[in-house]
Amino acid sequence: MGTWDYRDFDRVLAVQRSFDRMRSLLLDPVCGPWPEESLVTFENLATLGTAHVKLIEAFLDAKDVAFFYYVGHGIYDHRERLCLTVGDSRIDAPFTAATSLPFEAVRDAFRSSDATVKIAVLDCCSAGLATEEYGRLSATRVPPVAGAYLLMSSSAYEASWHQLEEVADAQTYFTRALVDTVREGIPGAPAGLTLDHLFRVVADRLVEDGRPEPGRRIADHAAGWVFARNNAPVGQPDPGADPADVYREAYRRETEEGVEQLPVIAATYRAAAEAGHAPSMNRLGQIDEGRVQARMQGSEPGPIDGAALLSATQWYTRASEAGDPVGPLHLGQLYEEQYGDGEQALYWNGLAARRGNSAAREQMTGLEQRLRLGIDVSRRPGGRDDADRTAGAATARGSERVRERAGETEAPRAPGTAQKPAAGGRGTVAGIAQEVLHQRWLADWDGSAPLATADCLDVLADACGGAFGEWSTLGEAEGARVLADFLAQLPRRSELARTARRYYEAVGPGNLRAHAARLPDRAGQPQPNHRTRE
């Protein structure tokens, strides 16, 4: 299913190319192929119509595998449910679910199917919302060999991206990486590639390219289901042979075997690294940091001790000295997040950027801003030296200036939340006037509070330094308080960027976290990571 012509969005031809490539892949011998008569396509639907009914009918006919793929705009409704758009989908909250295909409907279609393996691949913004309780794919009565696999291009409320039309054969980044990986194969992997094999390589490709890391949700035995034939040569390279072959063997074992084999895998990488193979050096650094083990176990990396940190630093340094563009990026992250040395972090990120690493260039820009403002170089809120960050007099004055300009006499509220009754009771003149002003403000966004909140978040975050600048130092609760404080001003859509810049100037660059600490908590405040732009 794919949509690229819209009423409320710009046309996205990259989506059409991604849709065509995925359909061609399924019909290619590398994937079986799938029988053409088994494919039901929903191609650039102008309106939803009976798509839900046809989806149920298609899955009722499936006995072995039920597969669903979507590429296009993903939005969420007033209940924060993922909705897959069609041509006339409306972004105003009351009509979003009614004019789009809610992922709940896809879930219901999966539940109606007796297929033993159920797979959903979502290439859209906010794809991670499909992992909510209502997004699970497993049937109520699970067949003995049933399994479900959900592959997502983005986390909840995170944007997915496509290449610009200036790029030849522009496509969405996620689908392009997935299809390219299947067609090229994975050197050193087994003859049959499972979704887990593909996921790890696709995730590495996207992250190294500076794109959002995809996500997955697995139930039962779906991770072992073979999706495609491995087009790359499959063999067991001699560890004493070419270092690139040794690396491929280590990577095959990393993607195919369990975490108990990690010491052997590390030894194989080390053999290639000692022969001067830079990607193997980077992999050893990732092992020392605990990232490879966490990826193999599907968990988050834990704290890193001193010896492991020193070893990771040495491996990344050797890779950097060998001319690798990824090693300096890893070093920049270590010096920033582990050593707290902003100048060294800036040097290594700059080196990676000069070698063409786009992710390092973005991190360097944000780090330069934080260094210029004298902010703790650690991006992670609540990290080291957090107790030393205090709200000084300058920050207090900045907060007061912001609130004076907003004309506040009580705690502000976020769009779409209920106004608390005034002291005089419900329906006071002041309360009614405030509600009228709020509704007039929402009219700039066609009455959609989620859209207004998302737009304001995007512009405010950019004004405050962006994803790697001062805005990145805020925790989730802090960002929510700052966003709610900004929304209380009811900024006009036509002047949003200028209002956001003035807000940041009034707070005072370098004072954002202290300003957030002075703001009250509010029930129902918007979350700072809700981004809907694609």
Side-chain angles (χ1 to χ4, degrees):
M1 180 175 181
T3 308
W4 48 91
D5 289 324
Y6 295 95
R7 187 194 73 170
D8 288 351
F9 299 96
D10 292 334
R11 192 182 194 196
V12 187
L13 292 177
V15 168
Q16 181 180 9
R17 298 187 189 98
S18 296
F19 176 90
D20 292 340
R21 284 201 76 197
M22 178 58 74
R23 186 178 186 277
S24 297
L25 179 69
L26 295 175
L27 295 174
D28 191 282
V30 72
C31 285
W34 293 60
E36 186 165 4
E37 62 272 16
S38 71
L39 297 185
V40 178
T41 58
F42 301 90
E43 184 173 349
N44 205 29
L45 295 180
T47 191
L48 188 60
T50 60
H52 186 192
V53 174
K54 292 179 180 178
L55 184 62
I56 294 173
E57 291 173 346
F59 283 173
L60 284 174
D61 292 335
K63 301 303 178 186
D64 298 321
V65 181
F67 178 89
F68 177 82
Y69 166 79
Y70 175 80
V71 59
H73 283 290
I75 57 179
Y76 53 92
D77 66 3
H78 61 289
R79 292 170 55 190
E80 297 189 333
R81 298 175 301 179
L82 176 63
C83 296
L84 311 178
T85 57
V86 294
D88 65 353
S89 292
R90 297 176 61 174
I91 59 177
D92 36 337
F95 302 97
T96 297
T99 57
S100 307
L101 181 67
F103 188 76
E104 283 190 73
V106 180
R107 183 277 318 269
D108 288 339
F110 272 117
R111 288 199 170 193
S112 68
S113 175
D114 291 330
T116 55
V117 176
K118 302 167 184 180
I119 303 167
V121 179
L122 303 178
D123 188 0
C124 62
C125 287
S126 302
L129 287 175
T131 63
E132 301 297 329
E133 284 297 318
Y134 52 74
R136 295 184 177 177
L137 307 185
S138 299
T140 303
R141 297 181 178 179
V142 182
V145 292
Y149 202 108
L150 177 60
L151 190 57
M152 302 157 288
S153 64
S154 61
S155 62
Y157 311 109
E158 185 179 31
S160 289
W161 300 90
H162 62 81
Q163 297 173 305
L164 300 177
E165 282 303 308
E166 290 81 1
V167 177
D169 197 32
Q171 300 163 46
T172 61
Y173 283 101
F174 175 79
T175 294
R176 182 167 201 150
L178 176 60
V179 175
D180 284 350
T181 300
V182 173
R183 291 202 175 278
E184 296 166 7
I186 303 175
L193 297 178
T194 66
L195 290 169
D196 259 2
H197 289 126
L198 296 168
F199 172 80
R200 294 186 181 106
V201 177
V202 169
D204 284 346
R205 278 187 167 191
L206 292 172
V207 171
E208 289 181 4
D209 194 34
R211 304 302 163 188
E213 184 172 3
R216 60 180 170 174
R217 174 68 65 85
I218 310 167
D220 301 309
H221 308 294
W225 184 75
V226 174
F227 180 78
R229 187 184 70 238
N230 191 357
N231 275 341
V234 179
Q236 300 295 324
D238 181 359
D242 183 75
D245 290 338
V246 179
Y247 171 84
R248 285 191 287 268
E249 168 63 8
Y251 193 78
R252 180 194 68 79
R253 302 194 69 169
E254 179 187 324
T255 57
E256 183 179 350
E257 299 178 5
V259 70
E260 66 277 358
Q261 296 298 319
L262 189 55
V264 178
I265 295 169
T268 308
Y269 279 129
R270 189 171 290 107
E274 295 297 348
H277 192 253
S280 295
M281 299 174 193
N282 286 325
R283 216 66 186 166
L284 287 168
Q286 295 269 291
I287 291 174
D288 286 330
E289 285 196 78
R291 296 186 182 279
V292 171
Q293 178 175 336
R295 188 178 295 116
M296 294 174 77
Q297 295 176 321
S299 60
E300 293 293 324
I304 180 173
D305 61 36
L309 177 59
L310 177 60
S311 179
T313 304
Q314 292 171 341
W315 282 120
Y316 294 146
T317 301
R318 289 182 60 178
S320 301
E321 291 172 346
D324 184 70
V326 179
L329 172 66
H330 291 315
L331 271 178
Q333 292 170 336
L334 281 188
Y335 275 103
E336 179 180 350
E337 298 174 0
Q338 300 295 338
Y339 295 114
D341 189 334
E343 294 299 331
Q344 281 292 313
L346 196 62
Y347 169 79
W348 290 110
N349 277 319
L351 179 60
R354 289 193 297 275
R355 291 177 179 175
N357 193 309
S358 60
R361 188 174 295 108
E362 186 177 357
Q363 292 192 28
M364 184 175 65
T365 300
L367 178 58
E368 285 174 335
Q369 186 213 28
R370 284 180 281 122
L371 288 173
R372 187 171 62 253
L373 296 176
I375 301 173
D376 183 348
V377 295
S378 175
R379 289 197 311 269
R380 295 170 299 174
R384 60 182 162 270
D385 300 330
D386 193 56
D388 295 334
R389 298 188 185 104
T390 57
T395 302
R397 288 193 297 271
S399 177
E400 289 166 1
R401 288 196 301 270
V402 172
R403 301 179 74 82
E404 286 170 1
R405 193 171 67 248
E408 290 178 14
T409 57
E410 60 185 73
R413 66 190 180 96
T417 60
Q419 174 74 35
K420 293 183 179 180
R426 301 173 61 184
T428 63
V429 173
I432 293 172
Q434 179 69 16
E435 183 61 28
V436 170
L437 289 174
H438 176 243
Q439 293 302 322
R440 288 179 179 174
W441 175 73
L442 277 183
D444 271 354
W445 283 271
D446 298 324
S448 173
L451 178 61
T453 301
D455 280 355
C456 288
L457 168 61
D458 277 347
V459 175
L460 179 61
D462 288 342
C464 296
F468 296 98
E470 187 174 3
W471 181 265
S472 69
T473 66
L474 298 179
E476 183 172 314
E478 293 171 323
R481 289 197 295 271
V482 173
L483 177 59
D485 189 53
F486 177 69
L487 291 171
Q489 300 183 38
L490 305 182
R492 295 179 59 184
R493 193 173 192 177
S494 60
E495 300 178 355
L496 191 54
R498 181 167 57 182
T499 306
R501 288 195 300 270
R502 288 178 175 175
Y503 181 93
Y504 184 50
E505 291 167 0
V507 170
N511 297 323
L512 197 58
R513 291 200 72 203
H515 169 64
R518 293 176 52 83
L519 297 173
D521 289 313
R522 301 173 186 80
Q525 62 191 6
Q527 295 303 305
N529 59 342
H530 291 197
R531 302 176 72 91
T532 60
R533 183 177 60 201
E534 297 202 29

